[in-house]
Amino acid sequence: MTAPAKILVVFGTRPEAIKLFPVVAALKADPRFTPVVCVSAQHRQMLDQVLEIAGLVPDYDLDLMTPGQTLDRLTAALLTGLGKVMDEVQPARVIVQGDTATAMAGALAAYYRQIPVDHVEAGLRSGNIYHPWPEEVNRKIIGTIASLHFAPTDVSRAALLAENVAPDRVHVTGNTVIDALHWVRKRIAAKPSLADGLEGLETLFEGRRIIGVTSHRRENFGGGMEAIAEAIRRIAVRPDVAVIFPVHLNPNVRSVMNERLGRLSNVALIEPLDYPHFVRLLSIAEIMLTDSGGVQEEAPALGKPVLVMRETTERPEGVAAGTARLVGTETSVIVTEMFKLLDDKAAYEAMARAHNPFGDGNSARRIVELIGNEIGRKA
Ligand code: UD1
Ligand code: UDP
C-alpha cells in the first residue's frame, strides 16, 4: 500500500479559513491523504476566531501579520515564509483558496518548487484589475499556475475556459462556504449558546429593523470608506432602523467608521464576530449592506437581500438570482437603494428568496475526491 499523500493546505485570512476548514476535515477523513496545515496568519485575531470554532490547530503558523501591513512587505514575507515550509514538508500538492496575498504567494512558492497547486474557488473574474484590488490579479496569477481548478459555478468555469485553461482541469464543485455555513448552522442548532452574544443588541434595538453591515475593500479606502460611512449615517437617521456593524480590524476601516459613526445611538460598531455570531446577524438582519465577497455568497443561500457596495462583482450569480444588487460606493445611491428596499414591500420580497447558486454543501468532499483521482492517475 502506498503512503498517504502529504497535502499542504495554505491560508491566512478569515474568509480563507472559513472556506478551507471543510476541505481540511474532508482530507483528514480520507486515508489517502495526510493534510498539513500552514497558516500565514496574514490575519491574526480574525483568523484565530475561525480556527477556534473549527477546532483546527495548524501544523505551521508563520504569524506574519503586522499592523497596517503594505502589500509588498506582506507579499515578500509570505513568499519566503511559505517557501521555507514547503521545503521542509515536501508536499505532494498544495491547496490554496481564493484570491488573497497568502493564496497568491502560496501558489507562487509552490510553482517555484514545481509542486502542483490546487485552487479552491477558481475562476472568479470581474474583468477589472482594480476592482477588487489586488484580488483580481491574485486570482489570475493562481489560475495560471494551478493544476486543478475548482470552480464554484458554471460562470466561473466559463471564465477559465475563456482564458484557455484546458476543460479537463476545471471542475465545478460549488463553493465550500456553503459547506461551512451548513456545518456552523448545525453546530448552533445543537448548541444555541454558540451564537447568543448578540442578545444585548437585540434587546437594545427591539422593534427596529436591523441592517447588518460589513466593509473592508482596499479599493474603497479613503473616499470610498467616507462615502460608505456617510450613507450609513443617513440611513440611521430613520428612527425605524438600527445598524449592526462588526468592524473589520483593518485600521483604514476602523478610523473612518469610528470617527463618522461612533456617536450614533442606533449604530452599533462592534468587534468582528466569530462565525456563529455572524451567522446569527445574517439571520436577524432584514437587509445586509456589504462589500464582502463571502457575504455575497452566504446571503443568497439564506434568502437575505444584500446590497453590494461595489461597482462590479466577480460573483454575478447572486445578482442573477435576484438576492444581491450592486449599489456601488456613492452615498446617494446606497441610501436610495436601501430606502427602496425598506419602504417597498414588493421590492423586498422579490429579493428575499433563498437561492443556492453557490453549492449544496458537499463541495469539500467533491474537491478531495477529485484530488484523489488526480493522484491515483499519476501513481
Ligand atoms: C485581506 C485580503 C482580502 C480579503 C480580506 C478578508 C489581501 C491583499 N487582502 O484584506 O483579499 O478580502 O483580507 O477580510 O490579501 N488586522 C488586524 N487583525 C486581524 C486582521 C487584520 O489587526 O485579524 C489589521 C492589521 O492592521 C493588518 C490590516 O488589518 O495589517 C490589513 O490586513 P490585510 O490582510 O493586509 O488586509 P485586509 O484588508 O484584511
Ligand atoms: N464574517 C465573520 N465575522 C464578521 C464578519 C464576517 O465571521 O464579523 C465572515 C462572513 O460570514 C464570511 C467571511 O467572514 O464568511 C467574509 O470575510 P470578509 O468579508 O472579511 O472577506 P471577503 O469574503 O470579502 O474576502
Side-chain angles (χ1 to χ4, degrees), residues 13-16 18-19 43 46 49-50 99-100 121 135 177 180-181 213-217 245-248 270-279 281-282 290-298 310 314-315:
T13 64
R14 168 172 68 193
E16 292 167 276
I18 288 173
K19 291 170 172 179
H43 284 174
M46 286 156 57
Q49 282 182 318
V50 186
D99 51 22
T100 67
E121 196 182 87
E135 289 80 5
V177 76
L181 191 57
V213 179
T214 77
S215 180
H216 71 84
R217 303 276 352 130
F245 185 171
V247 186
H248 196 285
I270 58 175
E271 293 303 309
L273 292 167
D274 67 17
Y275 197 38
H277 286 93
F278 191 74
V279 170
L281 174 59
L282 281 169
T290 190
D291 60 14
S292 160
V295 179
Q296 286 179 67
E297 294 153 348
E298 292 158 340
R310 297 195 188 186
E314 65 285 9
R315 293 169 171 89

Side-chain angles (χ1 to χ4, degrees), residues 64 85-86 138 141 172 208 254 258 275-276 279 286 309 379:
L64 282 181
V85 172
M86 287 176 200
N138 286 346
I141 293 171
V172 177
R208 294 183 193 245
R254 291 177 92 80
N258 286 337
Y275 197 38
V279 170
E286 195 167 313
M309 297 182 288

Side-chain angles (χ1 to χ4, degrees), residues 209-242:
R209 304 162 75 184
I210 303 291
I211 296 167
V213 179
T214 77
S215 180
H216 71 84
R217 303 276 352 130
R218 274 182 190 256
E219 64 271 19
N220 293 339
F221 289 170
M225 280 290 152
E226 304 263 343
I228 288 170
E230 176 57 16
I232 295 166
R233 193 193 63 75
R234 288 196 206 166
I235 291 165
V237 165
R238 287 175 66 126
D240 60 334
V241 306

Side-chain angles (χ1 to χ4, degrees), residues 358-371:
F358 297 105
D360 60 2
N362 293 310
S363 306
R365 199 181 41 71
R366 265 181 217 117
I367 286 168
V368 168
E369 207 43 52
L370 288 160
I371 297 174

Side-chain angles (χ1 to χ4, degrees), residues 35-117:
V36 180
V37 173
C38 173
V39 297
S40 66
Q42 171 181 337
H43 284 174
R44 186 70 274 172
Q45 304 91 319
M46 286 156 57
L47 172 73
D48 291 345
Q49 282 182 318
V50 186
L51 295 177
E52 193 181 334
I53 182 72
L56 197 55
V57 180
D59 300 284
Y60 291 85
D61 187 332
L62 301 179
D63 199 22
L64 282 181
M65 193 194 85
T66 54
Q69 58 206 359
T70 60
L71 291 177
D72 40 13
R73 198 181 149 190
L74 171 64
T75 305
L78 284 165
L79 198 54
T80 47
L82 293 170
K84 233 169 120 187
V85 172
M86 287 176 200
D87 289 339
E88 198 175 311
V89 175
Q90 303 273 328
R93 306 180 75 82
V94 170
I95 295 180
V96 298
Q97 193 282 337
D99 51 22
T100 67
T102 294
M104 187 274 286
L108 195 56
Y111 169 67
Y112 285 165
R113 289 157 180 79
Q114 300 192 11
I115 303 168
V117 172

Side-chain angles (χ1 to χ4, degrees), residues 329-345:
T329 53
E330 228 177 87
T331 303
S332 60
V333 180
I334 298 171
V335 176
T336 304
E337 291 294 333
M338 179 61 76
F339 285 8
K340 208 190 286 172
L341 265 192
L342 285 167
D343 294 329
D344 181 343
K345 208 161 179 258

